[in-house]
Amino acid sequence: MGSTKENLESAFAGESQANRKYLFFADKAEQEGHKQIARLFRAAAEAETVHARNHFRVMQGIGSTSDNLMAAISGENYEFTEMYPSFIEQAEAEGDKRAKGTFDMANQVERIHHALFQSALGKLEKGQALDEKGMYVCQVCGYTVEGEAPDKCPICGAAKRMFKAVE
Ligand code: FE2
Ligand code: FE2
Ligand code: FE2
Protein backbone atom coordinates (compact mmCIF):
# COMPACT_ATOMS: atom_id res chain seq x y z
CA MET A 1 0.00 0.00 0.00
CA GLY A 2 1.30 3.44 -0.88
CA SER A 3 0.94 6.77 0.87
CA THR A 4 -2.53 8.28 1.00
CA LYS A 5 -1.46 10.73 -1.68
CA GLU A 6 -0.58 7.81 -3.97
CA ASN A 7 -3.78 6.02 -3.04
CA LEU A 8 -5.83 9.09 -3.94
CA GLU A 9 -4.09 9.22 -7.33
CA SER A 10 -4.71 5.58 -8.01
CA ALA A 11 -8.34 5.77 -6.82
CA PHE A 12 -8.86 8.81 -9.04
CA ALA A 13 -7.36 6.97 -12.02
CA GLY A 14 -9.45 3.86 -11.36
CA GLU A 15 -12.74 5.74 -10.90
CA SER A 16 -12.05 7.81 -14.03
CA GLN A 17 -11.43 4.66 -16.06
CA ALA A 18 -14.49 2.93 -14.64
CA ASN A 19 -16.58 5.93 -15.72
CA ARG A 20 -15.41 5.66 -19.34
CA LYS A 21 -15.64 1.85 -19.45
CA TYR A 22 -19.20 1.87 -18.13
CA LEU A 23 -20.25 4.45 -20.72
CA PHE A 24 -18.78 2.29 -23.49
CA PHE A 25 -20.47 -0.78 -21.97
CA ALA A 26 -23.75 1.15 -21.83
CA ASP A 27 -23.51 1.90 -25.57
CA LYS A 28 -22.93 -1.79 -26.25
CA ALA A 29 -25.86 -2.83 -24.05
CA GLU A 30 -28.02 -0.26 -25.88
CA GLN A 31 -26.95 -1.71 -29.27
CA GLU A 32 -27.84 -5.19 -28.03
CA GLY A 33 -31.26 -3.96 -26.92
CA HIS A 34 -30.64 -4.26 -23.16
CA LYS A 35 -32.12 -0.89 -22.20
CA GLN A 36 -32.15 -1.32 -18.44
CA ILE A 37 -28.62 -2.76 -18.33
CA ALA A 38 -27.51 0.25 -20.37
CA ARG A 39 -29.17 2.50 -17.80
CA LEU A 40 -27.48 0.60 -14.95
CA PHE A 41 -24.08 1.12 -16.61
CA ARG A 42 -24.82 4.82 -17.08
CA ALA A 43 -25.96 5.18 -13.46
CA ALA A 44 -22.82 3.47 -12.14
CA ALA A 45 -20.73 5.60 -14.53
CA GLU A 46 -22.34 8.71 -13.06
CA ALA A 47 -21.52 7.53 -9.54
CA GLU A 48 -17.90 6.79 -10.50
CA THR A 49 -17.69 10.38 -11.74
CA VAL A 50 -18.88 11.56 -8.32
CA HIS A 51 -16.16 9.43 -6.69
CA ALA A 52 -13.51 10.68 -9.12
CA ARG A 53 -14.51 14.30 -8.48
CA ASN A 54 -14.49 13.81 -4.69
CA HIS A 55 -11.03 12.22 -4.78
CA PHE A 56 -9.72 14.87 -7.16
CA ARG A 57 -11.00 17.67 -4.90
CA VAL A 58 -9.26 16.12 -1.89
CA MET A 59 -6.09 15.94 -4.02
CA GLN A 60 -6.57 19.69 -4.67
CA GLY A 61 -6.52 18.91 -8.36
CA ILE A 62 -8.73 21.80 -9.39
CA GLY A 63 -7.17 25.24 -9.34
CA SER A 64 -8.00 28.54 -11.00
CA THR A 65 -8.71 28.37 -14.72
CA SER A 66 -5.26 29.70 -15.41
CA ASP A 67 -3.71 27.00 -13.15
CA ASN A 68 -5.90 24.40 -14.83
CA LEU A 69 -4.82 25.51 -18.31
CA MET A 70 -1.20 25.22 -17.21
CA ALA A 71 -1.84 21.72 -15.86
CA ALA A 72 -3.51 20.79 -19.16
CA ILE A 73 -0.64 22.25 -21.21
CA SER A 74 1.89 20.29 -19.23
CA GLY A 75 -0.11 17.06 -19.47
CA GLU A 76 -0.61 17.37 -23.23
CA ASN A 77 3.04 18.28 -23.68
CA TYR A 78 4.16 15.18 -21.81
CA GLU A 79 1.86 13.04 -23.94
CA PHE A 80 3.05 14.16 -27.37
CA THR A 81 6.71 14.72 -26.54
CA GLU A 82 7.41 11.70 -24.34
CA MET A 83 4.63 9.26 -23.68
CA TYR A 84 3.18 8.60 -27.13
CA PRO A 85 6.50 8.75 -29.02
CA SER A 86 7.89 6.02 -26.77
CA PHE A 87 4.66 4.00 -26.93
CA ILE A 88 4.66 4.28 -30.74
CA GLU A 89 8.25 3.12 -30.92
CA GLN A 90 7.49 0.16 -28.69
CA ALA A 91 4.38 -0.79 -30.71
CA GLU A 92 6.47 -0.63 -33.89
CA ALA A 93 9.13 -2.83 -32.34
CA GLU A 94 6.44 -5.37 -31.45
CA GLY A 95 4.81 -5.10 -34.88
CA ASP A 96 1.53 -4.12 -33.23
CA LYS A 97 -0.09 -2.08 -35.98
CA ARG A 98 -3.39 -1.40 -34.22
CA ALA A 99 -1.70 -0.12 -31.08
CA LYS A 100 0.63 2.00 -33.17
CA GLY A 101 -2.37 3.40 -35.06
CA THR A 102 -4.35 4.38 -31.98
CA PHE A 103 -1.28 5.89 -30.27
CA ASP A 104 -0.36 7.77 -33.41
CA MET A 105 -3.83 9.35 -33.78
CA ALA A 106 -3.92 10.39 -30.14
CA ASN A 107 -0.38 11.74 -30.36
CA GLN A 108 -1.27 14.05 -33.23
CA VAL A 109 -4.37 15.31 -31.47
CA GLU A 110 -2.59 15.98 -28.15
CA ARG A 111 -0.28 18.36 -30.02
CA ILE A 112 -3.37 20.26 -31.18
CA HIS A 113 -4.86 20.30 -27.68
CA HIS A 114 -1.57 21.68 -26.41
CA ALA A 115 -1.74 24.53 -28.94
CA LEU A 116 -5.41 25.27 -28.22
CA PHE A 117 -4.79 25.40 -24.46
CA GLN A 118 -1.71 27.57 -24.93
CA SER A 119 -3.58 30.04 -27.04
CA ALA A 120 -6.44 30.14 -24.49
CA LEU A 121 -3.97 30.74 -21.65
CA GLY A 122 -2.21 33.48 -23.63
CA LYS A 123 -5.49 35.30 -24.10
CA LEU A 124 -6.57 34.79 -20.51
CA GLU A 125 -3.29 36.23 -19.26
CA LYS A 126 -3.79 39.31 -21.43
CA GLY A 127 -7.32 39.69 -20.11
CA GLN A 128 -8.80 38.98 -23.56
CA ALA A 129 -12.03 37.03 -23.71
CA LEU A 130 -11.99 34.11 -26.13
CA ASP A 131 -14.38 34.55 -29.06
CA GLU A 132 -17.38 32.30 -28.73
CA LYS A 133 -17.31 29.81 -31.53
CA GLY A 134 -18.27 26.25 -32.17
CA MET A 135 -15.97 23.38 -31.27
CA TYR A 136 -16.04 20.06 -33.05
CA VAL A 137 -14.43 16.71 -32.32
CA CYS A 138 -13.76 13.94 -34.83
CA GLN A 139 -15.34 10.79 -33.47
CA VAL A 140 -12.69 8.66 -35.18
CA CYS A 141 -9.44 10.28 -34.05
CA GLY A 142 -10.41 13.03 -31.62
CA TYR A 143 -9.18 15.88 -33.84
CA THR A 144 -10.46 19.01 -32.12
CA VAL A 145 -11.25 22.12 -34.09
CA GLU A 146 -12.71 25.56 -33.47
CA GLY A 147 -15.20 27.30 -35.74
CA GLU A 148 -16.54 24.70 -38.12
CA ALA A 149 -16.05 21.01 -38.80
CA PRO A 150 -13.88 20.44 -41.88
CA ASP A 151 -15.16 18.49 -44.89
CA LYS A 152 -12.47 15.94 -44.20
CA CYS A 153 -10.56 15.34 -40.97
CA PRO A 154 -6.95 16.46 -41.53
CA ILE A 155 -5.68 13.69 -39.26
CA CYS A 156 -7.70 10.59 -40.07
CA GLY A 157 -9.59 11.58 -43.22
CA ALA A 158 -13.05 11.04 -41.72
CA ALA A 159 -15.98 12.87 -43.32
CA LYS A 160 -17.65 15.96 -41.85
CA ARG A 161 -20.56 13.93 -40.51
CA MET A 162 -18.15 12.15 -38.15
CA PHE A 163 -17.65 15.39 -36.21
CA LYS A 164 -19.57 16.00 -33.03
CA ALA A 165 -20.38 19.52 -31.87
CA VAL A 166 -19.38 20.24 -28.28
CA GLU A 167 -21.38 22.63 -26.11
FE1 FE2 B 1 -16.59 4.18 -7.47
FE1 FE2 C 1 -5.43 15.77 -25.20
FE1 FE2 D 1 -10.31 12.40 -37.38
Side-chain angles (χ1 to χ4, degrees):
M1 210 185 302
S3 66
T4 292
K5 187 176 178 289
E6 287 164 344
N7 293 342
L8 280 164
E9 276 169 16
S10 97
F12 174 61
E15 297 285 1
S16 302
Q17 280 190 40
N19 164 265
R20 299 320 309 183
K21 280 185 199 171
Y22 291 172
L23 292 176
F24 302 147
F25 293 169
D27 288 345
K28 180 71 176 178
E30 206 69 65
Q31 283 163 23
E32 291 183 346
H34 307 299
K35 275 196 173 310
Q36 192 60 24
I37 295 173
R39 184 173 285 149
L40 170 61
F41 274 128
R42 284 193 296 269
E46 185 66 35
E48 309 314 2
T49 293
V50 172
H51 299 158
R53 186 167 54 230
N54 290 345
H55 299 340
F56 198 52
R57 279 183 177 147
V58 173
M59 292 158 68
Q60 296 182 299
I62 307 168
S64 67
T65 292
S66 129
D67 290 341
N68 295 339
L69 282 168
M70 284 189 261
I73 289 163
S74 125
E76 300 286 351
N77 186 67
Y78 163 71
E79 289 176 350
F80 81 83
T81 59
E82 292 181 46
M83 187 184 87
Y84 282 128
S86 74
F87 288 1
I88 289 164
E89 201 179 310
Q90 176 75 14
E92 257 166 0
E94 292 179 21
D96 192 331
K97 290 202 173 87
R98 294 189 72 203
K100 181 184 181 295
T102 187
F103 291 152
D104 191 50
M105 277 198 294
N107 187 46
Q108 294 182 64
V109 175
E110 309 317 359
R111 185 184 288 274
I112 287 157
H113 291 164
H114 182 264
L116 289 168
F117 285 138
Q118 263 195 324
S119 140
L121 180 63
K123 287 184 178 150
L124 187 72
E125 281 175 342
K126 285 189 209 138
Q128 296 171 350
L130 268 72
D131 294 338
E132 284 216 23
K133 42 189 158 180
M135 296 220 62
Y136 297 86
V137 176
C138 174
Q139 295 302 295
V140 177
C141 74
Y143 173 63
T144 309
V145 63
E146 287 177 319
E148 227 188 298
D151 288 332
K152 193 177 163 192
C153 178
I155 291 182
C156 74
K160 196 187 199 85
R161 65 183 162 77
M162 296 310 289
F163 279 77
K164 184 172 154 184
V166 175
E167 271 312 299

